[in-house]
Each structure stands twice: as C-alpha cells, then as structure tokens.
Amino acid sequence: MKEMTIITEKKIGRNEPCWCGSGEKYKNCHYDFDRKIDSFRDRGIEVPTRSMIKTPEQLEGIRKSGLANIAVLDYVAEHIEIGMTTEEIDRLVFTKTTELGGIPAPLDFEGFPKSVCTSVNDQVCHGIPTETVTLKAGDIINVDVSTILDGYFSDSSRMFCMGEIDDEKRRLVDCVYEAIRLGLEQVRPWHCLGDMGQAINDYAKSCGFSVVEEVGGHGVGIEFHEDPWVSYVSKKGEEMLMVPGMVFTVEPMINAGSPDIFVDSANDWTIYTTDGKPSAQAEVQVAVTEDGYEILAR
C-alpha cells in the first residue's frame, strides 16, 4: 500500500452547524458519518477528507455538467469519420460545448492548447488535436471530453473504431469496456478503491493485455483534477475508502503490449506506448451513493 498522509479534520461540537453546509446541527447531519470514517482510519485505512465529499447541491451541478458532456460525446459520435482530422474533432467539441453553455475544461488547462484530447492508436492519452493527423481505416481513437458548466466539471471519454479494425485492436477496445463494467461492480460505499483497481487489472491481464501504472483516474467536480488519485493496478482492500458523496473517474488505459509509456518531449503532453503497440481507454465519471454508484458522465 502506498504511504498515507493522515489528515486530522477540525473538531465540531455536536450542536454546531455541520461542516457540509446543510445548516443542520452536526449531530443530526454528518456526526455518525464521520464516526464511521474514523473507525476505518483507526484501522489504518486511508479515508477521504471532507473536501472530497460533495453536497447534494454540488452533485446536482455536476450531474447537469455530466449531461452536457454526454451530449458533446454523442455529437462527436454522430460526426466522426474516416478522413477527418483530429483538429476537426476539436472544432466539433468546442462548437457543441459552447452551444450548450459550457466551457471545454482542457482548453488552456496548465497550457493544454485544445478543447479535447484525441489519442490515436499507440497514443495512450493527452493526444493534441492537429490538422496533420487524419483518421484512417483501421485506426482506433479515444476522444476525451471534459466540460465546465455553471462552474461544475465533468469528464468522460469513448473509443471510436474507424471502419474495419484488426483483431488485436477489437479485443483491446472490447477489453477496456468490459474492464470498466467489472470495475464499477466494485464501486460501493465503505469499500476501498483498490477493490475496483484489482478487478480492472485482473481482467486486463486475463485478456493478455497490461494496464498503465503511472496514469490513473482522479476526483473531479468542483475542480478539473481533485483528490483522490485512482490507480487501476491496485489491490483489493487497499487505497482510499469510498464513501457516499465522493466523485471520481474510472478510466483505465489498457495496452496491447507492455505497460511502459513515455511522454512526447516535443509537446510535454501526449503519452505513447513505449513498444508502439495500440492502447485503449474509456472513461466514466461516477458518484458513490449509499448503496453503490451513479454514473454522471460516460
């Protein structure tokens, strides 16, 4: 298990207003919830901070942003085709996002120059759209869309196959979606993120593929990238405790060959497989609920 940082939250009197902003007394709101979290912390399990727990109002805002994100990806799905450049995909995303009243979250984020990430074949993630990359028959591409709507962030991606693709790529794309489905079965409150990570990693390995270790998922909703960082090569019973109100992405990057990767030194963004074999990724944004999970964007 990775090294934990122990964070002690500010103590609140039982009759003081709850930290969540509900206006209710702490004893009638999150008191029992916090005591349950404390019991896991006392057992040495990494637990979320209060800042990671979204309020009902925040969840509703993130939910609306997620619907816009889904609409943008649906729009891409309607228009993407062989012969299109990745720059044209970027224009589709910008146009639809702004039409819906949103802002593309990647645009100018830490210097990223475009509105969407387009990762083709051996590009693992963070591919930068350009007029020089044209989609060809046999290509696979991940289109990763992130939206800011009314100040709330959403994030999801899909794989698209350009015409007939070879058997290895087909199995790879199918594997990433099935791995996510199996991972989501492990997303439930008072269990650990490692339960999901192991389910995804075990399935990818059973397909003869590998999971990227250095790049993972993340919290998202109030900011583009929040804690926790989410690994997909983790172990059951390890990593952070999942509790109701947490929001994060499930987005394994699965490689046909080695899990080893490198960052393009020319742009310091695009990540490639070291062996040049294809990679596939899909992404869903989920909220942990009282009895499981809710998909906010896919």
Side-chain angles (χ1 to χ4, degrees):
M1 180 185 294
K2 66 182 181 183
E3 183 179 348
M4 287 192 306
T5 299
I6 304 299
I7 297 176
T8 302
E9 302 281 12
K10 179 183 177 182
K11 298 294 184 182
I12 301 175
R14 289 169 54 87
N15 290 310
E16 291 183 296
C18 186
W19 55 262
C20 73
S22 65
E24 296 186 33
K25 291 182 178 180
Y26 182 44
K27 66 182 180 182
N28 297 326
C29 195
H30 274 88
Y31 179 82
D32 290 337
F33 178 90
D34 285 353
R35 298 291 77 72
K36 189 167 185 177
I37 286 180
D38 286 344
S39 71
F40 283 90
R41 181 189 288 111
D42 291 345
R43 288 154 49 188
I45 295 173
E46 185 177 8
V47 300
T49 62
R50 291 170 183 163
S51 64
M52 296 182 207
I53 312 302
K54 305 301 188 285
T55 67
E57 179 182 11
Q58 290 170 335
L59 285 170
E60 184 56 26
I62 299 167
R63 193 175 288 118
K64 290 177 180 177
S65 179
L67 290 175
N69 210 69
I70 291 168
V72 174
L73 274 168
D74 286 346
Y75 187 69
V76 171
E78 291 170 6
H79 292 86
I80 194 169
E81 61 184 1
I82 295 169
M84 176 178 283
T85 66
T86 53
E87 178 69 26
E88 289 178 278
I89 297 172
D90 185 72
R91 289 198 288 268
L92 289 175
V93 169
F94 181 85
T95 298
K96 190 63 177 180
T97 302
T98 54
E99 177 187 303
L100 294 169
I103 301 168
L107 187 59
D108 297 325
F109 175 75
E110 296 184 352
F112 191 81
K114 297 293 181 176
S115 297
V116 65
C117 296
T118 52
S119 304
V120 183
N121 296 331
D122 64 331
Q123 293 179 334
V124 176
C125 60
H126 303 161
I128 299 176
T130 174
E131 292 284 10
T132 63
V133 175
T134 300
L135 298 179
K136 304 182 298 297
D139 285 343
I140 58 173
I141 178 173
N142 177 265
V143 178
D144 190 346
V145 171
S146 309
T147 303
I148 311 168
L149 185 68
D150 298 329
Y152 294 101
F153 290 75
S154 53
D155 191 7
S156 59
S157 78
R158 300 179 194 169
M159 292 298 301
F160 295 97
C161 303
M162 297 294 102
E164 293 296 322
I165 60 174
D166 64 37
D167 180 64
E168 181 180 58
K169 287 179 178 175
R170 172 56 60 191
R171 290 193 306 106
L172 186 63
V173 172
D174 290 345
C175 177
V176 78
Y177 280 106
E178 178 63 8
I180 287 175
R181 187 190 70 79
L182 294 171
L184 287 172
E185 289 182 351
Q186 302 301 317
V187 177
R188 49 188 189 267
W190 314 114
H191 291 256
C192 293
L193 281 168
D195 299 5
M196 175 187 64
Q198 177 156 359
I200 287 171
N201 195 26
D202 285 352
Y203 182 72
K205 286 182 176 178
S206 77
C207 296
F209 300 136
S210 63
V211 178
V212 173
E213 298 181 16
E214 297 93 333
V215 189
H218 54 91
V220 58
I222 308 304
E223 301 291 343
F224 192 0
H225 285 179
E226 305 172 357
D227 289 332
W229 187 80
V230 182
S231 169
Y232 306 108
V233 293
S234 44
K235 297 294 185 181
K236 185 177 178 65
E238 297 183 358
E239 305 296 320
M240 186 175 285
L241 183 72
M242 294 180 282
V243 305
M246 286 177 68
V247 175
F248 53 83
T249 61
V250 181
E251 51 172 318
M253 283 140 270
I254 299 179
N255 293 351
S258 163
D260 296 336
I261 58 175
F262 70 93
V263 180
D264 187 342
S265 60
N267 61 43
D268 206 29
W269 275 106
T270 308
I271 297 177
Y272 291 83
T273 59
T274 300
D275 58 16
K277 290 192 174 183
S279 181
Q281 175 197 17
E283 176 181 16
V284 298
Q285 180 181 0
V286 300
V288 181
T289 65
E290 294 292 340
D291 57 2
Y293 65 88
E294 174 189 358
I295 293 179
L296 302 173
R298 69 184 317 159

